[in-house]
Amino acid sequence: MRRDVFQAIADPTRREILNMLAHQTLNVNAVTEHFDVSRAAIYKHMRILIECGLINMKPQGRERYCEARLEQLNEVSDWVEQYREIWSARLDSLESYLEELQAKNNNQTKTKKNGKAKR
């Protein structure tokens, strides 16, 4: 089955593994020690991250080291960006509408105050 980056980041454990590896290259044991689940469970998560191209595992002697390859997250960033633009436009429109309402409300308040003062 072909996995994509969105599947990889859908799980909080995989996001945490990515976060750890984004800061430093770690061996598999160092990654698994961080979690309260079995090594096999973490290794399955890491396999998905490898299949998605988000981490790379290199053998060095008897150890296997993992490093993050975060370039693939650009796909997620591009997807999110299109919605950010839509929501920014909608929020700008809402802000304009609220400013109009506030100005209208302020004008009505001034008119009422001026009307009472003339009596």
Side-chain angles (χ1 to χ4, degrees):
M1 166 170 41
R2 167 87 169 98
R3 298 188 189 273
D4 65 13
V5 177
F6 294 95
Q7 289 173 312
I9 64 170
D11 184 273
T13 301
R14 290 192 289 269
R15 289 192 304 266
E16 181 60 27
I17 291 169
L18 278 176
N19 185 45
M20 291 170 57
L21 296 175
H23 299 288
Q24 62 184 333
T25 300
L26 297 170
N27 67 22
V28 174
N29 289 332
V31 174
T32 58
E33 288 171 2
H34 183 76
F35 298 95
D36 291 331
V37 295
S38 70
R39 178 183 166 107
I42 296 303
Y43 196 76
K44 284 181 184 180
H45 285 296
M46 294 174 76
R47 272 275 159 239
I48 292 170
L49 293 170
I50 290 168
E51 289 172 17
C52 295
L54 289 170
I55 66 172
N56 192 21
M57 192 178 295
K58 296 181 200 177
Q60 282 185 343
R62 295 179 59 191
E63 295 287 333
R64 286 176 293 184
Y65 285 86
C66 303
E67 63 182 4
R69 296 181 56 217
L70 303 178
E71 304 83 29
Q72 295 288 57
L73 291 177
N74 288 335
E75 181 180 350
V76 176
S77 178
D78 294 344
W79 184 80
V80 169
E81 181 62 24
Q82 68 183 337
Y83 292 100
R84 188 195 64 77
E85 290 173 6
I86 291 169
W87 280 106
S88 290
R90 288 181 181 180
L91 290 172
D92 289 346
S93 178
L94 176 62
E95 182 180 26
S96 297
Y97 175 71
L98 292 174
E99 287 172 354
E100 286 177 28
L101 286 179
Q102 188 174 14
K104 190 176 186 180
N105 189 28
N106 288 343
N107 286 340
Q108 287 176 350
T109 303
K110 287 179 185 177
T111 303
K112 286 181 183 178
K113 285 181 181 178
N114 289 339
K116 288 181 181 178
K118 290 181 182 178
R119 289 186 187 183

